[in-house]
Amino acid sequence: SPDHVKIEEMFQKIRHRGPYISEIWNSNRVMMAQNYLRADCPTAIPDEADVPIRSSADGDLKICYDGQMGNVAQLAQACGISAGPFAEERIILQLYQEYGSDIFQYLDDAIFAFVISDGEYIFAARDLLGIKTLFYGRRGDTLYLTTELKSLVTVTDDINEFPPGHY
């Protein structure tokens, strides 16, 4: 049961990570919030950016992503993804649509934490080495996920770290 007030509280705690582009999206069951610094997406136009990033093939599929890919050029070419803002997010969405949870064989040169949702269900993952953090906690019947601990402690005392290499 998404709570817009709680998500906004969490989002404010990590505002420093993206005053350039930020947005909260919600459906009946899922809320997602993403923010970017200008350095993360220097060619993006804030008023035209639609975050969390949506899949071009399936507009219902969205991603919140924190990571870096060493093989982004090769994956973009293999997936038919054009260069530009949010290429890594678009690559992951494409790979997820094609391979589902077998996506990780293509992310062997990446560090990441991400959550993908269709508005009904979520798929969350963290890189094998655990370089990027992913925390989760519950409050009542609501599950919260974040890449920064300080945002999670604002809404729950139930704090857990997603194990590396798990989804």
Side-chain angles (χ1 to χ4, degrees), residues 1-4 7 24-33 52 54 60 62 117-122:
S1 52
D3 182 338
H4 197 309
I7 296 297
I24 297 174
W25 172 87
N26 66 297
S27 70
N28 291 334
R29 295 183 47 123
V30 176
M31 290 185 79
M32 299 175 80
R54 299 172 192 265
D60 289 338
K62 293 154 199 66
S117 179
D118 62 0
E120 189 72 18
Y121 300 98
I122 64 168

PDB file of all heavy atoms in Angstrom, residues 1-4 7 24-33 52 54 60 62 117-122:
ATOM      1  N   SER A   1       0.850  -1.190   0.000  1.00  0.00           N
ATOM      2  CA  SER A   1       0.000   0.000   0.000  1.00  0.00           C
ATOM      3  C   SER A   1       0.885   1.238   0.000  1.00  0.00           C
ATOM      4  O   SER A   1       1.327   1.672   1.060  1.00  0.00           O
ATOM      5  CB  SER A   1      -0.934  -0.023   1.210  1.00  0.00           C
ATOM      6  OG  SER A   1      -0.192  -0.233   2.401  1.00  0.00           O
ATOM      7  N   PRO A   2       1.181   1.772  -1.162  1.00  0.00           N
ATOM      8  CA  PRO A   2       2.080   2.916  -1.271  1.00  0.00           C
ATOM      9  C   PRO A   2       1.594   4.126  -0.471  1.00  0.00           C
ATOM     10  O   PRO A   2       0.417   4.434  -0.444  1.00  0.00           O
ATOM     11  CB  PRO A   2       2.072   3.230  -2.766  1.00  0.00           C
ATOM     12  CG  PRO A   2       1.640   1.982  -3.436  1.00  0.00           C
ATOM     13  CD  PRO A   2       0.705   1.313  -2.469  1.00  0.00           C
ATOM     14  N   ASP A   3       2.524   4.777   0.174  1.00  0.00           N
ATOM     15  CA  ASP A   3       2.242   5.952   0.980  1.00  0.00           C
ATOM     16  C   ASP A   3       3.089   7.103   0.431  1.00  0.00           C
ATOM     17  O   ASP A   3       4.297   7.151   0.643  1.00  0.00           O
ATOM     18  CB  ASP A   3       2.583   5.663   2.448  1.00  0.00           C
ATOM     19  CG  ASP A   3       2.278   6.820   3.368  1.00  0.00           C
ATOM     20  OD1 ASP A   3       2.198   7.980   2.907  1.00  0.00           O
ATOM     21  OD2 ASP A   3       2.138   6.566   4.575  1.00  0.00           O
ATOM     22  N   HIS A   4       2.444   8.023  -0.274  1.00  0.00           N
ATOM     23  CA  HIS A   4       3.152   9.107  -0.932  1.00  0.00           C
ATOM     24  C   HIS A   4       3.937   9.957   0.071  1.00  0.00           C
ATOM     25  O   HIS A   4       5.059  10.390  -0.213  1.00  0.00           O
ATOM     26  CB  HIS A   4       2.183   9.972  -1.718  1.00  0.00           C
ATOM     27  CG  HIS A   4       2.844  10.841  -2.739  1.00  0.00           C
ATOM     28  ND1 HIS A   4       3.910  11.667  -2.460  1.00  0.00           N
ATOM     29  CD2 HIS A   4       2.604  11.006  -4.064  1.00  0.00           C
ATOM     30  CE1 HIS A   4       4.289  12.297  -3.553  1.00  0.00           C
ATOM     31  NE2 HIS A   4       3.516  11.916  -4.531  1.00  0.00           N
ATOM     32  N   ILE A   7       7.169   8.065   1.004  1.00  0.00           N
ATOM     33  CA  ILE A   7       8.114   8.065  -0.121  1.00  0.00           C
ATOM     34  C   ILE A   7       8.751   9.441  -0.261  1.00  0.00           C
ATOM     35  O   ILE A   7       9.959   9.565  -0.488  1.00  0.00           O
ATOM     36  CB  ILE A   7       7.415   7.645  -1.439  1.00  0.00           C
ATOM     37  CG1 ILE A   7       6.912   6.208  -1.348  1.00  0.00           C
ATOM     38  CG2 ILE A   7       8.349   7.837  -2.636  1.00  0.00           C
ATOM     39  CD1 ILE A   7       7.981   5.169  -1.159  1.00  0.00           C
ATOM     40  N   ILE A  24       8.656  11.166  -8.863  1.00  0.00           N
ATOM     41  CA  ILE A  24       8.018  10.033  -8.195  1.00  0.00           C
ATOM     42  C   ILE A  24       6.882   9.562  -9.086  1.00  0.00           C
ATOM     43  O   ILE A  24       6.077  10.361  -9.567  1.00  0.00           O
ATOM     44  CB  ILE A  24       7.470  10.440  -6.810  1.00  0.00           C
ATOM     45  CG1 ILE A  24       8.608  10.874  -5.889  1.00  0.00           C
ATOM     46  CG2 ILE A  24       6.688   9.284  -6.180  1.00  0.00           C
ATOM     47  CD1 ILE A  24       8.156  11.428  -4.553  1.00  0.00           C
ATOM     48  N   TRP A  25       6.823   8.261  -9.310  1.00  0.00           N
ATOM     49  CA  TRP A  25       5.762   7.639 -10.104  1.00  0.00           C
ATOM     50  C   TRP A  25       5.007   6.678  -9.207  1.00  0.00           C
ATOM     51  O   TRP A  25       5.597   6.029  -8.347  1.00  0.00           O
ATOM     52  CB  TRP A  25       6.380   6.884 -11.286  1.00  0.00           C
ATOM     53  CG  TRP A  25       5.370   6.078 -12.034  1.00  0.00           C
ATOM     54  CD1 TRP A  25       4.571   6.508 -13.049  1.00  0.00           C
ATOM     55  CD2 TRP A  25       5.026   4.708 -11.793  1.00  0.00           C
ATOM     56  NE1 TRP A  25       3.748   5.491 -13.459  1.00  0.00           N
ATOM     57  CE2 TRP A  25       4.005   4.380 -12.695  1.00  0.00           C
ATOM     58  CE3 TRP A  25       5.462   3.747 -10.886  1.00  0.00           C
ATOM     59  CZ2 TRP A  25       3.432   3.113 -12.740  1.00  0.00           C
ATOM     60  CZ3 TRP A  25       4.886   2.497 -10.928  1.00  0.00           C
ATOM     61  CH2 TRP A  25       3.889   2.183 -11.847  1.00  0.00           C
ATOM     62  N   ASN A  26       3.703   6.562  -9.401  1.00  0.00           N
ATOM     63  CA  ASN A  26       2.975   5.573  -8.611  1.00  0.00           C
ATOM     64  C   ASN A  26       1.823   4.945  -9.378  1.00  0.00           C
ATOM     65  O   ASN A  26       1.251   5.536 -10.276  1.00  0.00           O
ATOM     66  CB  ASN A  26       2.483   6.176  -7.295  1.00  0.00           C
ATOM     67  CG  ASN A  26       1.440   7.237  -7.490  1.00  0.00           C
ATOM     68  OD1 ASN A  26       1.696   8.259  -8.089  1.00  0.00           O
ATOM     69  ND2 ASN A  26       0.256   6.997  -6.977  1.00  0.00           N
ATOM     70  N   SER A  27       1.565   3.709  -8.987  1.00  0.00           N
ATOM     71  CA  SER A  27       0.394   2.967  -9.442  1.00  0.00           C
ATOM     72  C   SER A  27      -0.401   2.646  -8.179  1.00  0.00           C
ATOM     73  O   SER A  27      -0.095   3.157  -7.111  1.00  0.00           O
ATOM     74  CB  SER A  27       0.812   1.686 -10.174  1.00  0.00           C
ATOM     75  OG  SER A  27       1.351   0.748  -9.262  1.00  0.00           O
ATOM     76  N   ASN A  28      -1.357   1.779  -8.273  1.00  0.00           N
ATOM     77  CA  ASN A  28      -2.126   1.400  -7.080  1.00  0.00           C
ATOM     78  C   ASN A  28      -1.298   0.612  -6.076  1.00  0.00           C
ATOM     79  O   ASN A  28      -1.542   0.674  -4.887  1.00  0.00           O
ATOM     80  CB  ASN A  28      -3.357   0.581  -7.474  1.00  0.00           C
ATOM     81  CG  ASN A  28      -4.377   1.420  -8.200  1.00  0.00           C
ATOM     82  OD1 ASN A  28      -4.438   2.635  -8.010  1.00  0.00           O
ATOM     83  ND2 ASN A  28      -5.173   0.785  -9.045  1.00  0.00           N
ATOM     84  N   ARG A  29      -0.306  -0.146  -6.564  1.00  0.00           N
ATOM     85  CA  ARG A  29       0.462  -1.031  -5.678  1.00  0.00           C
ATOM     86  C   ARG A  29       1.928  -0.668  -5.509  1.00  0.00           C
ATOM     87  O   ARG A  29       2.573  -1.142  -4.591  1.00  0.00           O
ATOM     88  CB  ARG A  29       0.383  -2.472  -6.197  1.00  0.00           C
ATOM     89  CG  ARG A  29      -1.003  -3.055  -6.145  1.00  0.00           C
ATOM     90  CD  ARG A  29      -0.973  -4.492  -6.592  1.00  0.00           C
ATOM     91  NE  ARG A  29       0.090  -5.213  -5.945  1.00  0.00           N
ATOM     92  CZ  ARG A  29      -0.060  -6.311  -5.222  1.00  0.00           C
ATOM     93  NH1 ARG A  29      -1.246  -6.812  -5.073  1.00  0.00           N
ATOM     94  NH2 ARG A  29       0.969  -6.917  -4.674  1.00  0.00           N
ATOM     95  N   VAL A  30       2.472   0.121  -6.420  1.00  0.00           N
ATOM     96  CA  VAL A  30       3.907   0.388  -6.428  1.00  0.00           C
ATOM     97  C   VAL A  30       4.159   1.883  -6.597  1.00  0.00           C
ATOM     98  O   VAL A  30       3.503   2.537  -7.406  1.00  0.00           O
ATOM     99  CB  VAL A  30       4.603  -0.378  -7.586  1.00  0.00           C
ATOM    100  CG1 VAL A  30       6.070  -0.030  -7.670  1.00  0.00           C
ATOM    101  CG2 VAL A  30       4.407  -1.881  -7.434  1.00  0.00           C
ATOM    102  N   MET A  31       5.132   2.386  -5.836  1.00  0.00           N
ATOM    103  CA  MET A  31       5.634   3.741  -6.043  1.00  0.00           C
ATOM    104  C   MET A  31       7.129   3.636  -6.296  1.00  0.00           C
ATOM    105  O   MET A  31       7.815   2.853  -5.634  1.00  0.00           O
ATOM    106  CB  MET A  31       5.394   4.625  -4.812  1.00  0.00           C
ATOM    107  CG  MET A  31       3.950   4.958  -4.597  1.00  0.00           C
ATOM    108  SD  MET A  31       3.733   6.108  -3.225  1.00  0.00           S
ATOM    109  CE  MET A  31       4.170   7.621  -4.038  1.00  0.00           C
ATOM    110  N   MET A  32       7.620   4.433  -7.229  1.00  0.00           N
ATOM    111  CA  MET A  32       9.038   4.442  -7.549  1.00  0.00           C
ATOM    112  C   MET A  32       9.496   5.888  -7.623  1.00  0.00           C
ATOM    113  O   MET A  32       8.794   6.737  -8.159  1.00  0.00           O
ATOM    114  CB  MET A  32       9.296   3.743  -8.886  1.00  0.00           C
ATOM    115  CG  MET A  32       8.873   2.290  -8.908  1.00  0.00           C
ATOM    116  SD  MET A  32       9.044   1.527 -10.540  1.00  0.00           S
ATOM    117  CE  MET A  32      10.802   1.179 -10.566  1.00  0.00           C
ATOM    118  N   ALA A  33      10.688   6.146  -7.082  1.00  0.00           N
ATOM    119  CA  ALA A  33      11.253   7.484  -7.116  1.00  0.00           C
ATOM    120  C   ALA A  33      12.690   7.396  -7.606  1.00  0.00           C
ATOM    121  O   ALA A  33      13.437   6.519  -7.182  1.00  0.00           O
ATOM    122  CB  ALA A  33      11.195   8.108  -5.726  1.00  0.00           C
ATOM    123  N   PRO A  52      10.817   7.525 -13.185  1.00  0.00           N
ATOM    124  CA  PRO A  52      11.731   6.473 -13.599  1.00  0.00           C
ATOM    125  C   PRO A  52      11.603   6.162 -15.100  1.00  0.00           C
ATOM    126  O   PRO A  52      10.547   6.340 -15.694  1.00  0.00           O
ATOM    127  CB  PRO A  52      11.302   5.270 -12.760  1.00  0.00           C
ATOM    128  CG  PRO A  52      10.558   5.834 -11.600  1.00  0.00           C
ATOM    129  CD  PRO A  52       9.940   7.100 -12.097  1.00  0.00           C
ATOM    130  N   ARG A  54      11.111   4.497 -18.545  1.00  0.00           N
ATOM    131  CA  ARG A  54      10.138   3.510 -19.031  1.00  0.00           C
ATOM    132  C   ARG A  54      10.715   2.749 -20.217  1.00  0.00           C
ATOM    133  O   ARG A  54      11.472   3.301 -21.001  1.00  0.00           O
ATOM    134  CB  ARG A  54       8.857   4.198 -19.488  1.00  0.00           C
ATOM    135  CG  ARG A  54       8.158   4.969 -18.410  1.00  0.00           C
ATOM    136  CD  ARG A  54       7.006   5.788 -18.992  1.00  0.00           C
ATOM    137  NE  ARG A  54       6.514   6.728 -18.024  1.00  0.00           N
ATOM    138  CZ  ARG A  54       5.474   6.503 -17.226  1.00  0.00           C
ATOM    139  NH1 ARG A  54       4.835   5.368 -17.300  1.00  0.00           N
ATOM    140  NH2 ARG A  54       5.085   7.416 -16.363  1.00  0.00           N
ATOM    141  N   ASP A  60       4.689   0.087 -19.624  1.00  0.00           N
ATOM    142  CA  ASP A  60       4.324  -0.210 -18.244  1.00  0.00           C
ATOM    143  C   ASP A  60       5.532  -0.605 -17.405  1.00  0.00           C
ATOM    144  O   ASP A  60       5.478  -0.578 -16.182  1.00  0.00           O
ATOM    145  CB  ASP A  60       3.290  -1.340 -18.180  1.00  0.00           C
ATOM    146  CG  ASP A  60       1.933  -0.901 -18.689  1.00  0.00           C
ATOM    147  OD1 ASP A  60       1.665   0.311 -18.692  1.00  0.00           O
ATOM    148  OD2 ASP A  60       1.144  -1.770 -19.074  1.00  0.00           O
ATOM    149  N   LYS A  62       9.076  -0.069 -15.758  1.00  0.00           N
ATOM    150  CA  LYS A  62       9.898   1.059 -15.335  1.00  0.00           C
ATOM    151  C   LYS A  62      11.071   0.571 -14.504  1.00  0.00           C
ATOM    152  O   LYS A  62      11.003  -0.496 -13.914  1.00  0.00           O
ATOM    153  CB  LYS A  62       9.064   2.032 -14.517  1.00  0.00           C
ATOM    154  CG  LYS A  62       7.986   2.716 -15.323  1.00  0.00           C
ATOM    155  CD  LYS A  62       6.838   3.139 -14.430  1.00  0.00           C
ATOM    156  CE  LYS A  62       5.592   3.384 -15.231  1.00  0.00           C
ATOM    157  NZ  LYS A  62       5.033   2.209 -15.870  1.00  0.00           N
ATOM    158  N   SER A 117       9.669  -2.516 -12.270  1.00  0.00           N
ATOM    159  CA  SER A 117       8.274  -2.787 -11.925  1.00  0.00           C
ATOM    160  C   SER A 117       7.363  -2.531 -13.115  1.00  0.00           C
ATOM    161  O   SER A 117       7.627  -1.655 -13.937  1.00  0.00           O
ATOM    162  CB  SER A 117       7.824  -1.912 -10.760  1.00  0.00           C
ATOM    163  OG  SER A 117       6.469  -2.161 -10.457  1.00  0.00           O
ATOM    164  N   ASP A 118       6.288  -3.296 -13.145  1.00  0.00           N
ATOM    165  CA  ASP A 118       5.231  -3.068 -14.125  1.00  0.00           C
ATOM    166  C   ASP A 118       4.035  -2.368 -13.469  1.00  0.00           C
ATOM    167  O   ASP A 118       2.983  -2.241 -14.063  1.00  0.00           O
ATOM    168  CB  ASP A 118       4.790  -4.383 -14.770  1.00  0.00           C
ATOM    169  CG  ASP A 118       4.202  -5.371 -13.766  1.00  0.00           C
ATOM    170  OD1 ASP A 118       4.119  -5.052 -12.559  1.00  0.00           O
ATOM    171  OD2 ASP A 118       3.821  -6.473 -14.191  1.00  0.00           O
ATOM    172  N   GLY A 119       4.216  -1.925 -12.238  1.00  0.00           N
ATOM    173  CA  GLY A 119       3.143  -1.272 -11.494  1.00  0.00           C
ATOM    174  C   GLY A 119       2.388  -2.222 -10.595  1.00  0.00           C
ATOM    175  O   GLY A 119       1.663  -1.799  -9.695  1.00  0.00           O
ATOM    176  N   GLU A 120       2.601  -3.500 -10.804  1.00  0.00           N
ATOM    177  CA  GLU A 120       1.941  -4.528 -10.002  1.00  0.00           C
ATOM    178  C   GLU A 120       2.962  -5.338  -9.203  1.00  0.00           C
ATOM    179  O   GLU A 120       2.762  -5.623  -8.040  1.00  0.00           O
ATOM    180  CB  GLU A 120       1.140  -5.442 -10.931  1.00  0.00           C
ATOM    181  CG  GLU A 120       0.230  -6.417 -10.245  1.00  0.00           C
ATOM    182  CD  GLU A 120      -0.999  -5.769  -9.617  1.00  0.00           C
ATOM    183  OE1 GLU A 120      -1.352  -4.640  -9.979  1.00  0.00           O
ATOM    184  OE2 GLU A 120      -1.602  -6.418  -8.757  1.00  0.00           O
ATOM    185  N   TYR A 121       4.038  -5.718  -9.856  1.00  0.00           N
ATOM    186  CA  TYR A 121       5.082  -6.541  -9.255  1.00  0.00           C
ATOM    187  C   TYR A 121       6.427  -5.827  -9.360  1.00  0.00           C
ATOM    188  O   TYR A 121       6.588  -4.943 -10.196  1.00  0.00           O
ATOM    189  CB  TYR A 121       5.172  -7.898  -9.964  1.00  0.00           C
ATOM    190  CG  TYR A 121       3.892  -8.673  -9.873  1.00  0.00           C
ATOM    191  CD1 TYR A 121       2.987  -8.664 -10.926  1.00  0.00           C
ATOM    192  CD2 TYR A 121       3.584  -9.400  -8.729  1.00  0.00           C
ATOM    193  CE1 TYR A 121       1.792  -9.366 -10.831  1.00  0.00           C
ATOM    194  CE2 TYR A 121       2.391 -10.099  -8.630  1.00  0.00           C
ATOM    195  CZ  TYR A 121       1.506 -10.075  -9.688  1.00  0.00           C
ATOM    196  OH  TYR A 121       0.328 -10.762  -9.594  1.00  0.00           O
ATOM    197  N   ILE A 122       7.385  -6.265  -8.544  1.00  0.00           N
ATOM    198  CA  ILE A 122       8.730  -5.699  -8.618  1.00  0.00           C
ATOM    199  C   ILE A 122       9.755  -6.810  -8.797  1.00  0.00           C
ATOM    200  O   ILE A 122       9.527  -7.944  -8.397  1.00  0.00           O
ATOM    201  CB  ILE A 122       9.096  -4.855  -7.377  1.00  0.00           C
ATOM    202  CG1 ILE A 122       9.132  -5.726  -6.110  1.00  0.00           C
ATOM    203  CG2 ILE A 122       8.159  -3.677  -7.207  1.00  0.00           C
ATOM    204  CD1 ILE A 122       9.755  -5.039  -4.918  1.00  0.00           C
TER     205      ILE A 122
END
